[in-house]
Amino acid sequence: MSTEHLPALRPSRVVWNKGRIVGQKRSLQPKHVWSIRVRLEMADNARDLALFNMAIDSKLRGCDLVRLKVRDVFAAGRVRERTSITQRKTGQPVRFEITEPTRQSLERWIAKLEMLGADFLWPSRFRDSPHLSTRQYARILRGWVTSIGLDPSSYGTHSMRRTKVAQIYKKTGNLRAVQLLLGHTKMDSTVRYLGVELDDALTISEAIDL
């Protein structure tokens, strides 16, 4: 049989997520947070320590975190205890606290580079970008989790966004507080984000002995 009229065979495209673990990334546990923080302090890495602390406290998406400017967190000669920004994804403002350790690391980082209010908090080392890209941030995070022996494929930039709120929900069960902190407009989004329905179901199941 002639092959002239048979359909041409084309190489199939490689699936974008081949070999990758997809789905919701894990949040860091408190012991992980302290391990990374101690390593950054010992390495005297002012930028990464400030970035790590700010990522935990702010609970911002990576696209918002990398675009923070000095004036967003710094006023009257010191770092603010609370601040707010407008989220790029939703256009809605979100407020967050800046704890004492984070304020100290930010003040040290800002002073080190002698930054001004209009400067980006996390300037890029590449001339074509004024600030860190989300991809660069993801690579930095990969280094953090790898340094304490975690599997980097299980963690991403959303791990930092989820870390503090996961602990808040675990300790208080207050979904409304978590919704406000994440800047979600719908409670359903918060429920899906935390996966609380599954967690609650497993807790109930574990309490039943048969």
Side-chain angles (χ1 to χ4, degrees):
M1 180 178 176
S2 174
T3 60
E4 293 180 1
H5 302 293
L6 293 178
L9 295 177
R10 298 179 181 177
S12 59
R13 294 182 179 179
V14 177
V15 179
W16 70 270
N17 59 355
K18 183 179 181 180
R20 301 182 184 179
I21 297 176
V22 297
Q24 199 171 66
K25 299 297 185 180
R26 298 177 182 174
S27 59
L28 295 174
Q29 299 299 312
K31 62 181 180 181
H32 300 149
V33 172
W34 284 106
S35 293
I36 293 173
R37 189 173 283 151
V38 167
R39 279 169 171 74
L40 294 176
E41 289 175 347
M42 291 177 64
D44 197 27
N45 192 332
R47 184 202 67 176
D48 278 22
L49 180 60
L51 178 60
F52 178 77
N53 286 340
M54 194 63 179
I56 295 291
D57 273 3
S58 69
K59 303 163 284 289
L60 292 173
R61 296 178 181 88
C63 61
D64 292 322
L65 179 67
V66 297
R67 287 176 171 80
L68 284 175
K69 292 189 174 183
V70 174
R71 64 186 174 215
D72 293 325
V73 301
F74 193 85
R78 64 187 184 89
V79 175
R80 300 171 179 174
E81 294 184 3
R82 294 181 180 178
T83 190
S84 65
I85 69 157
T86 300
Q87 302 171 96
R88 296 186 74 231
K89 182 177 180 178
T90 64
Q92 298 297 316
V94 63
R95 288 181 60 82
F96 55 89
E97 78 287 356
I98 306 177
T99 59
E100 179 61 26
T102 302
R103 293 199 298 272
Q104 292 177 358
S105 59
L106 280 172
E107 287 175 356
R108 180 187 173 199
W109 172 238
I110 291 169
K112 183 175 182 178
L113 269 64
E114 300 180 348
M115 295 181 183
L116 301 176
D119 293 337
F120 285 102
L121 265 179
W122 325 114
S124 175
R125 294 169 183 171
F126 299 104
R127 294 183 179 180
D128 58 344
S129 177
H131 57 75
L132 282 180
S133 67
T134 52
R135 183 171 294 183
Q136 288 173 304
Y137 171 42
R139 283 199 295 265
I140 292 170
L141 185 144
R142 184 183 181 90
W144 294 341
V145 298
T146 302
S147 71
I148 60 170
L150 297 177
D151 180 2
S153 65
S154 298
Y155 299 86
T157 56
H158 272 277
S159 297
M160 306 300 293
R161 177 163 159 79
R162 294 179 65 230
T163 290
K164 197 165 189 177
V165 292
Q167 292 300 313
I168 291 171
Y169 177 74
K170 182 178 180 180
K171 292 179 179 179
T172 69
N174 191 332
L175 268 178
R176 175 58 178 164
V178 173
Q179 179 191 8
L180 292 171
L181 292 170
L182 289 174
H184 286 162
T185 55
K186 297 181 179 179
M187 184 66 76
D188 287 349
S189 300
T190 306
V191 170
R192 289 194 302 270
Y193 198 77
L194 289 180
V196 295
E197 291 177 318
L198 175 59
D199 288 342
D200 290 347
L202 290 173
T203 299
I204 294 170
S205 181
E206 288 169 351
I208 304 298
D209 291 328
L210 292 176

